[in-house]
Amino acid sequence: MADHHHLLLLSFFFASFLCHGVFDVQASHHVSSFHHVSKISYPTHQPYRTGYHFQPAKHWINAPMLYKGVYHLFYQYNPKGAKWGNIVWAHSTSTDMINWSPRGYGVYPSQRSDINGTWSGSATFLHDGVPAILYTGIDPDQNQVQNMVVPENPLDPYLNKWVKKHENPLMEPTQQNRINASSFRDPTTAWLGPDSTWRLVVGSKHNEKGMAILYRSKDFINWMEADRPLHSTEGTGMWECPDFYPVLDVSGGSEVGLDTSVLGPNVKHVLKVSLDDTKHDHYTIGKYDPFADVYKPDHDGLADQDLGLRYDYGKYYASKTFFDWGKNRRILLGWVNESSPVDDDVAKGWAGVHTIPRKIWLDKSGKQLVQWPIEEVEKLRVRGVNVPCQELKSGSVHEVTGVTAEQADVEISFGKLDLSKAEKLDPSWTDPQALCTRRGASVRGALGPFGLLALGSKCMQEHTAVFFRVFKGHDDKPVVLMCSDQSKSSRNNENDKASYGAFVDVNPAHENLSLRTLIDHSIVESFGAHGKSVITARVYPLLAVDGAAHLYAFNNGTQSVKVSRLSAWSMKKAQIG
Ligand SMILES: *[C@@H]1O[C@H](CO)[C@@H](O)[C@H](O)[C@H]1NC(C)=O
Ligand SMILES: *[C@@H]1O[C@H](CO)[C@@H](O)[C@H](O)[C@H]1NC(C)=O
Ligand SMILES: *[C@@H]1O[C@H](CO)[C@@H](O)[C@H](O)[C@H]1NC(C)=O
Ligand SMILES: *[C@@H]1O[C@H](CO)[C@@H](O)[C@H](O)[C@H]1NC(C)=O
Ligand SMILES: *[C@@H]1O[C@H](CO)[C@@H](O)[C@H](O)[C@H]1NC(C)=O
């Protein structure tokens, strides 16, 4: 494991995401004019602002990027409003990935190759341990090209200033390479091959074939496009924010993360792409051959679009991972868009939050990844309550008192279930989101719905229901469905209240079925079966706000279920933004 990354107390994460934007500030005054426009004032009553989920003081964000030692987060940001546009790289730093301090802009338009936009990219540690950032720039012809910045002073732990390479752009669409100039963006973190050559991929498409275009370089300045992409899939459309990294594949499973360049017999690779057409982050697990320089998924998940594997089956996009060598873990960060009308975003003055950073690793089955909120978030827990084991009878609702229900962390677990009582799963019910939409929390079943009602109002007119249903599938094998039902989340009907759903690969006849939910005013982030399936939702209650929210456990199945554990904590405010 040649690990040049260990030379410096830093490591990177980075994400990206983009669309089409107009940059309308004069070059020489970018920064000052951005600071100037940031002084617009917004409403002081902010019921939906998060208490411990990252968001900037105001305005629109989308893609995060992180860097460690000090951890660094760079994200796509519009200094001029709560809508997409004018994108620059905002920058925050942290020592625990929970409390953040804002810094100056990392990258903003200033040269020909990025004068019309500084979009997403990634950071890589070079041989000397100093990071370099590659990012997508928009040139005056509206071409997407790849550029590089390096720290002005690598000794500055806060990396406050970045300088652009005069060689920019380093990668660009040409007549010869036939790369689509409006579909060529989001370079990944580079990895070093056995031939000491750097490699990275850039997201693209040709017609409807999504692809990860591969580039190689010896010196990180001169990049050559490879003869074929690292991977491509017909019918998937534009691949944004690709992310390619190794995971440890050992029997019994391991939560240990790997540096991006690690290869070896106990290593599998993950390719994640953000599908522009569906706004979902999909991934496959497979084998990377560093000699042929191709990646082959074990199962062609992406071909199946929305039925393939996803990091998060709710509202979630443009995520990125980085290797945190200090704690030997790989960390995933994602962006969570609003589900409210753009006018509401503009009125409240901000749009978009980030999920709590998640540790991510290969499940012991080898078939999927597992995610869990980083342990640092537990430092925010105060005033915990433990509810003794009890039976939740058919149709019952149990209020969990003693916690601040608007800003909470809840773990609930259900005892083993008797599957003989489960309903049969119709073989045509293959789409979990459609199933959760048809069978919301108010549709009674046999085993389920049971779970939590988050952000509930006093008489439960409003609530976000996160729950399980258990069916008998083919050969009577258990099928566990996890849903996040937003249909009653608010009396305001302007919001997108789509239900989300995921199947969970767990056998509830053999093990207790767990659910953890992080609730923070307008975000409900839920982890089923210790992080095997994750669903994030945005909700905007009108009643369950300003201290009036309640938290409940419920069972609306005809069969009773046993709560084997129920622990909840109020969460302190973190320094966000
Ligand atoms: C590109 O940037 C220049 C300089 O900031 C600006 O004058 C022009 O309007 C921009 N064009 C587009 C299409 O965004
Ligand atoms: C290139 O990308 C643009 C923007 O998505 C798209 O409209 C166009 O069809 C693409 N061309 C090809 C050949 O894929
Ligand atoms: C953001 O949310 C809106 C409303 O739910 C949705 O239409 C849009 O596709 C989302 N965009 C992304 C990038 O997730
Ligand atoms: C599973 O639930 C049962 C109660 O139904 C409880 O006694 C047991 O301790 C739980 N097991 C684990 C591993 O939490
Ligand atoms: C439970 O089901 C009943 C009957 O359908 C319904 O009236 C009630 O609202 C449901 N509870 C929840 C939390 O959805």
Side-chain angles (χ1 to χ4, degrees), residues 83-200:
K83 293 196 251 190
W84 195 87
N86 316 301
I87 294 300
V88 301
W89 281 46
H91 180 192
S92 293
T93 57
S94 172
T95 52
D96 59 7
M97 288 192 267
I98 298 295
N99 295 287
W100 295 95
S101 308
R103 307 256 152 219
Y105 299 133
V107 186
Y108 50 88
S110 70
Q111 61 176 201
R112 188 178 193 282
S113 60
D114 68 14
I115 198 66
N116 288 95
T118 48
W119 292 2
S120 286
S122 303
T124 303
F125 288 93
L126 303 185
H127 297 287
D128 56 2
V130 176
I133 288 178
L134 287 163
Y135 68 97
T136 300
I138 309 301
D139 75 12
D141 303 323
Q142 301 303 306
N143 290 324
Q144 298 175 8
V145 301
Q146 316 314 321
N147 297 315
M148 177 169 165
V149 288
V150 291
E152 184 181 74
N153 173 14
L155 298 177
D156 167 17
Y158 298 110
L159 299 172
N160 278 309
K161 278 227 165 79
W162 294 79
V163 284
K164 292 180 185 173
K165 286 293 195 190
H166 66 85
E167 292 92 343
N168 287 342
L170 307 183
M171 290 161 243
E172 60 186 326
T174 60
Q175 291 282 321
Q176 289 74 40
N177 64 25
R178 296 178 58 238
I179 292 171
N180 187 339
S182 41
S183 301
F184 180 52
R185 52 188 183 259
D186 311 346
T188 60
T189 294
W191 66 96
L192 203 54
D195 55 358
S196 299
T197 299
W198 291 103
R199 291 149 167 85
L200 60 75

Side-chain angles (χ1 to χ4, degrees), residues 456-535:
S457 59
K458 181 93 195 104
C459 306
M460 282 198 296
Q461 305 98 312
E462 289 184 335
H463 58 260
T464 297
V466 186
F467 60 85
F468 296 111
R469 277 178 197 277
V470 179
F471 299 95
K472 268 188 293 203
H474 182 65
D475 285 343
D476 282 353
K477 284 217 187 73
V479 176
V480 176
L481 178 72
M482 173 178 166
C483 302
S484 186
D485 173 0
Q486 283 67 247
S487 61
K488 302 232 169 63
S489 59
S490 172
R491 298 211 297 184
N492 177 353
N493 289 324
E494 307 272 282
N495 302 310
D496 171 2
K497 296 198 234 174
S499 287
Y500 306 122
F503 290 119
V504 194
D505 186 17
V506 60
N507 185 339
H510 295 160
E511 56 183 295
N512 297 353
L513 186 54
S514 73
L515 173 68
R516 178 174 179 192
T517 298
L518 299 171
I519 304 162
D520 194 2
H521 299 266
S522 62
I523 182 169
V524 178
E525 216 183 323
S526 302
F527 298 79
H530 302 289
K532 282 189 166 181
S533 296
V534 186
I535 302 180

Side-chain angles (χ1 to χ4, degrees), residues 20 144 178-185 204-209 238 276-277:
H20 357 292
Q144 298 175 8
R178 296 178 58 238
I179 292 171
N180 187 339
S182 41
S183 301
F184 180 52
R185 52 188 183 259
S204 189
K205 70 169 174 185
H206 193 257
N207 297 324
E208 279 315 297
K209 185 189 214 173
M238 178 64 190
D276 197 17
D277 291 358

Side-chain angles (χ1 to χ4, degrees), residues 413-416 512 562 564:
S413 202
F414 299 92
K416 291 175 197 166
N512 297 353
K562 215 177 246 132
S564 56

Side-chain angles (χ1 to χ4, degrees), residues 17 279 315 317 335 337-339 496:
F17 158 73
K279 303 291 182 217
K315 188 80 34 108
Y317 197 64
W335 166 55
N337 177 22
E338 299 297 311
S339 293
D496 171 2

